[in-house]
Amino acid sequence: MKRHERMNALLELLGERGRVDVDEAATALEVSAATMRRDMDALAEQQLLTRTRGGAVLSSVAYDLPIRYKHAHRAADKEAVAQAAAKLVERGDVVGLSGGTTTTEIARVLATRPEFAEAGPQPHLTIVTNSLNIANELAVRPQIKIVLTGGVAQSRSFELVGPFSELVLQQISLDIAFIGANGMDPRMGATVHDESEARVNRLMAERSRRAVVVADSSKIGTRCFARVGDADVFDTFITDNRAEESARREFTDRGLRVITASPQQAASSPASSQHHETVTIAED
């Protein structure tokens, strides 16, 4: 991992947890403690984090780290997942998008699809989201109708949560919902760090005819604080092709259809048994 990629990964870790120590971050990013100290010192000089004894905390000026920096970590994998997800969307659909870097990438892919960008008297796509940054990016697209749930903004994720968000979601119906996750475990299913985000994400999934978990393979095997759900609310899990076959099989055994997406140029692979598919996405 190059230094700038490592720093972005450190900022992502810090954006999710708020505080990390040197050894914890070094283990997560597979570098030495000395290297991690140097990276933390460099980011502290840029005022992107605040050094503490033995670690670092989120800087007061870095409130937007989850949006500004997280996209660079495993960017190719997230884009491949987004391309595969976008293929499930048809013109006229009402699409739910939770907050997160992978769902933000899905929004960008949908916004650039030619069939959704054509001029016309009515929008070609409706997107319902509780993500401030997704709404901000898509608001300039006249052929995409944006419905923002309302609610209380979370400073780390830019997601709207709480009873106002739930009130809106309870009144609508979605064709398909893409829900991001901080962790994806075969037994617990999709999990996130915050219980209020988990509640809104689950409700969005429940209000859709088809609910899809989207997460790159680094999230597989991770369990976070708050459970969103597994096959009780989701029917499909889209991840990248770095996911191990044994892990994919565990998800299919639990009742999830698994789609893996590759950023490499190659011909599409046929679907295997147990509802597992490989979708190959060519890089631009």
Side-chain angles (χ1 to χ4, degrees):
M1 185 183 297
K2 296 179 181 178
R3 191 182 188 212
H4 75 277
E5 294 175 334
R6 190 173 65 244
M7 286 184 170
N8 284 334
L10 173 58
L11 290 170
E12 175 180 351
L13 190 66
L14 194 58
E16 291 177 347
R17 302 182 186 181
R19 175 188 298 270
V20 293
D21 60 42
V22 171
D23 291 336
E24 176 187 13
T27 300
L29 302 183
E30 300 179 343
V31 297
S32 68
T35 296
M36 185 49 55
R37 288 190 189 94
R38 288 194 295 270
D39 287 350
M40 286 183 175
D41 289 342
L43 290 169
E45 290 178 2
Q46 300 175 49
Q47 295 184 307
L48 295 176
L49 58 77
T50 300
R51 289 286 269 123
T52 62
R53 185 171 182 176
V57 297
L58 196 65
S59 172
S60 60
V61 301
Y63 64 92
D64 55 348
L65 286 180
I67 304 307
R68 291 174 55 199
Y69 290 96
K70 285 173 70 174
H71 73 281
H73 183 45
R74 298 185 66 135
D77 294 334
K78 293 177 188 293
E79 182 179 356
V81 170
Q83 293 282 357
K87 288 186 175 182
L88 303 180
V89 178
E90 299 180 355
R91 187 164 171 161
D93 277 353
V94 179
V95 181
L97 291 175
S98 73
T101 52
T102 303
T103 49
T104 297
E105 193 61 38
I106 294 173
R108 291 168 180 161
V109 173
L110 291 175
T112 56
R113 284 260 297 267
E115 63 268 41
F116 300 148
E118 295 176 0
Q122 299 294 329
H124 303 311
L125 193 68
T126 298
I127 290 183
V128 179
T129 186
N130 68 321
S131 169
L132 290 170
N133 71 291
I134 289 177
N136 181 63
E137 287 199 26
L138 298 186
V140 297
R141 307 277 181 173
Q143 301 311 316
I144 298 179
K145 179 181 179 180
I146 305 300
V147 178
L148 195 58
T149 62
V152 179
Q154 299 282 74
S155 60
R156 291 185 185 174
S157 65
F158 286 8
E159 291 184 63
L160 299 172
V161 298
F164 292 118
S165 298
E166 296 167 21
L167 182 62
V168 171
L169 288 171
Q170 287 167 355
Q171 305 303 315
I172 62 177
S173 176
L174 309 173
D175 293 301
I176 188 167
F178 297 106
I179 307 298
N182 299 119
M184 189 61 183
D185 180 82
R187 294 189 178 276
M188 284 196 70
T191 56
V192 295
H193 295 296
D194 184 87
E195 68 277 9
S196 56
E197 292 177 15
R199 182 178 176 87
V200 171
N201 289 354
R202 182 181 178 92
L203 181 56
M204 185 179 290
E206 291 175 340
R207 300 303 298 173
S208 67
R209 289 192 298 106
R210 182 177 187 184
V212 182
V213 183
V214 290
D216 67 69
S217 58
S218 70
K219 307 297 193 303
I220 293 177
T222 298
R223 292 186 178 189
C224 300
F225 174 70
R227 181 178 183 271
V228 180
D230 54 14
D232 57 341
V233 289
F234 297 105
D235 59 52
T236 304
F237 171 34
I238 304 179
T239 188
D240 62 84
N241 67 341
R242 292 200 234 182
E244 295 182 1
E245 177 61 34
S246 59
R248 300 198 300 261
R249 192 175 300 274
E250 286 188 89
F251 289 113
T252 58
D253 288 345
R254 302 283 291 186
L256 284 172
R257 175 190 181 195
V258 179
I259 299 174
T260 56
S262 170
Q264 300 177 352
Q265 292 185 353
S268 297
S269 301
S272 67
S273 61
Q274 296 192 0
H275 305 289
H276 168 252
E277 303 173 26
T278 299
V279 179
T280 301
I281 306 298
E283 292 181 320
D284 291 333

